[in-house]
Amino acid sequence: MKVRVTRRQAGVVDVAIHTEFIKLQDFLKFADAVPSGGMAKTAVQAGDVSVNGEVCTMRGKKLRPGDLVSCLGGTWRVTADGD
């Protein structure tokens, strides 16, 4: 059974990280874009996630401050802690 969750958000949500980079699947969980790691893996592999406007199917892609992530109708911007 395949379940698809759609989230609708107005605008971009800034998410601060405390490290130099964060892996895409970890960011999706950290930003509450998805409720679980399994759902993050599925969304990335299905092509439902884009990074800086391009579909990304690499779960381990390193995101750095300034990157823009879109998933399931929401959009998040990676920022450095303190920005």
Side-chain angles (χ1 to χ4, degrees):
M1 182 166 113
K2 188 171 184 179
V3 177
R4 185 167 296 249
V5 176
T6 303
R7 293 183 180 214
R8 299 190 190 280
Q9 287 184 287
V12 176
V13 178
D14 288 339
V15 178
I17 62 171
H18 307 285
T19 56
E20 179 185 348
F21 65 86
I22 186 170
K23 291 182 180 180
L24 178 57
Q25 71 177 15
D26 296 333
F27 179 80
L28 293 174
K29 292 184 294 183
F30 183 68
D32 288 329
V34 294
S36 70
M39 191 169 195
K41 176 182 177 179
T42 301
V44 172
Q45 289 178 338
D48 293 335
V49 179
S50 64
V51 177
N52 299 325
E54 296 183 18
V55 173
C56 182
T57 57
M58 297 183 307
R59 292 182 297 150
K61 178 165 180 59
K62 293 178 181 178
L63 302 176
R64 291 182 165 75
D67 286 335
L68 202 62
V69 178
S70 296
C71 176
L72 303 174
T75 304
W76 295 265
R77 179 182 300 117
V78 182
T79 61
D81 188 34
D83 283 356

